[in-house]
Amino acid sequence: MKRNRSFSLLFFLSLLVIIFVTFSIVSVEARKTNIKKKLHKRHKGGHTQGSHSPCPVPTPQGSTFDVLSFGAKGNGVSDDSEAFLAAWNGACKVAGATVKIPAQLKFLIKPVTLQGPCISDLTLQIDGTLLAPPEASTWPKSSLFQWINFKWVRNFTIKGSGTVDGQGYNWWSSSEFYDIQKSYSKHIPGMKPTAIRFYSSNFVTVRDIRIINSPLCHLKFDNSKGIKVNNITISSPENSPNTDGIHLQNTQDVEIQRSIISTGDDCVSIQTGCSNIHVHHINCGPGHGISLGGLGKDKSAACVSDITVEDISMKNTLYGARIKTWQGGIGMVKNVTFSRIQVYDVMYPIMIDQYYCDKQICKNHTSTVVISGVKFDQIHGTYGMQPVHLACSNSIPCTDVDLTDIQLSPSPKYRGLQQAVCWNSYGKSQGPFLPSSIDYCLRSGGGLIKRIARSHDKVCY
Ligand SMILES: *[C@@H]1O[C@H](CO)[C@@H](O)[C@H](O)[C@H]1NC(C)=O
Ligand SMILES: *[C@@H]1O[C@H](CO)[C@@H](O)[C@H](O)[C@H]1NC(C)=O
Ligand SMILES: *[C@@H]1O[C@H](CO)[C@@H](O)[C@H](O)[C@H]1NC(C)=O
Ligand SMILES: *[C@@H]1O[C@H](CO)[C@@H](O)[C@H](O)[C@H]1NC(C)=O
């Protein structure tokens, strides 16, 4: 009996021990899985979960957002705009990301706005082709300003071996264009889309790609700063109207280099609000050459300064180095250098035209955008119509216009004038000159006029 009771006690105690040990093991395991779960959660959630975490999970670097992974077809027929936008929006949130347009495929893109600011150093790698809608008549009327619009981007690069094709053919032909005008933009004459436009964007690089057949301008920067264009090719047919290559407006600190541009209008067009622009090593032509202006249209103010254009080759262009202003404007153009420009069969290699006019007759005005400090230096080759044409304002002459080493012979293909023509232009001449009439073209002095000119600078600063 006694033995029986002690046995029961022992059994009871053993049972207690077993229960206690089991409970401990279970609870430790439970805690372990809990921790594992928490860790897993924190990892998956990334920075959104980790506000209290001592070491935040870093965002991935160098990620690629291929438009094909976002549903693009790349067959040149399906509308791939949504996929392009989705890839952009994904890449925009990741540092150092690349939006990829893969090679050998064609992506039809409707007018889009790719908006920043993005996390820094976004790249658009174009190896395939971007195609604009081919039918001018189906173009959305709310997007007539441009096709691909980059807005508020910073530290952004476009590069690659691909092509951006504006398919502008039926915008150029006047009958189709007339229909568009009638139905969409009665009040905005000449409204056609620019192919690539950057608006209010800083530190942008565009390199290596081809931009072709834009309905209007091919590559435009406005209200931007810190722009680099390098090694690009721009082309559209000679008879495509108003198809500027690169167009700058209200943009500062620009370098455009080592590119080939042939269009139906200016290779590079520099408009009001531009300063510190360096254009060099460009093959230009056919087209209208490299231009400042037209400035001062409709009595507007124009300010352009610190422009250097050098080491340029121009072939079969209408103009070479040109500044054009409308009568009646105000403001100033100053510190402009055109240097080392080789011309082949260029109609008017050197031109200042302060009577720019798009009609038969424009009204005469005394007010003008003042021009001061323009150098034409080492301009050599052959011309078609007139070697030098400087037509400055009647009321305020151009000052500090320097002509140095200009050697231009008439092209045998044309029967141009042998004479250099200068009207109201003051400055220094330093030969050699060919034709020799260039030597007598400029007036010397102009101190009083310079003081008047300087007063116009106040409009700009
Ligand atoms: C953007 O680029 C500019 C010029 O290269 C540089 O000074 C600036 O620090 C960059 N900004 C960012 C946010 O990376
Ligand atoms: C210029 O662009 C072309 C076409 O994309 C490319 O093949 C070439 O390597 C580029 N050159 C330089 C110097 O980057
Ligand atoms: C003229 O412009 C160039 C840039 O094109 C600049 O380097 C130079 O300092 C400017 N000169 C003056 C006197 O402002
Ligand atoms: C403008 O002025 C020029 C030169 O004085 C003159 O030949 C021309 O007829 C004038 N044009 C008009 C529209 O008054």
Side-chain angles (χ1 to χ4, degrees), residues 22-34:
T22 310
F23 180 77
S24 309
I25 288 169
V26 165
S27 73
V28 163
E29 278 305 311
R31 241 182 297 159
K32 271 191 198 162
T33 29
N34 238 348

Side-chain angles (χ1 to χ4, degrees), residues 154-213:
R154 303 273 181 279
N155 299 62
F156 171 64
T157 298
I158 298 182
K159 59 188 180 74
S161 55
T163 300
V164 175
D165 185 348
Q167 307 213 82
Y169 324 100
N170 52 43
W171 294 92
W172 304 327
S173 65
S174 48
S175 59
E176 179 95 17
F177 180 46
Y178 178 70
D179 292 341
I180 294 279
Q181 287 282 294
K182 261 200 320 201
S183 53
Y184 291 157
S185 50
K186 245 180 284 184
H187 308 293
I188 314 169
M191 189 81 164
K192 301 183 208 177
T194 283
I196 300 179
R197 177 202 187 202
F198 282 91
Y199 175 73
S200 194
S201 294
N202 296 349
F203 306 117
V204 171
T205 298
V206 178
R207 56 175 308 149
D208 305 341
I209 61 163
R210 286 199 319 151
I211 308 170
I212 63 172
N213 300 328

Side-chain angles (χ1 to χ4, degrees), residues 275-278 305-309 334-337:
S275 66
N276 194 24
I277 312 289
H278 189 193
S305 63
D306 306 333
I307 313 292
T308 300
V309 177
K334 62 173 185 181
N335 186 22
V336 178
T337 301

Side-chain angles (χ1 to χ4, degrees), residues 327 355 361-364 394:
Q327 291 192 68
Y355 300 87
I361 301 168
C362 284
K363 230 180 132 192
N364 284 335
N394 271 329

Side-chain angles (χ1 to χ4, degrees), residues 28 45 71 77 97 119 187 231 238 263 280 297 345-347:
V28 163
V77 181
I119 299 207
H187 308 293
N231 188 39
E238 200 174 346
T263 69
H280 62 102
K297 193 178 185 181
D345 293 353
V346 170
M347 292 301 154

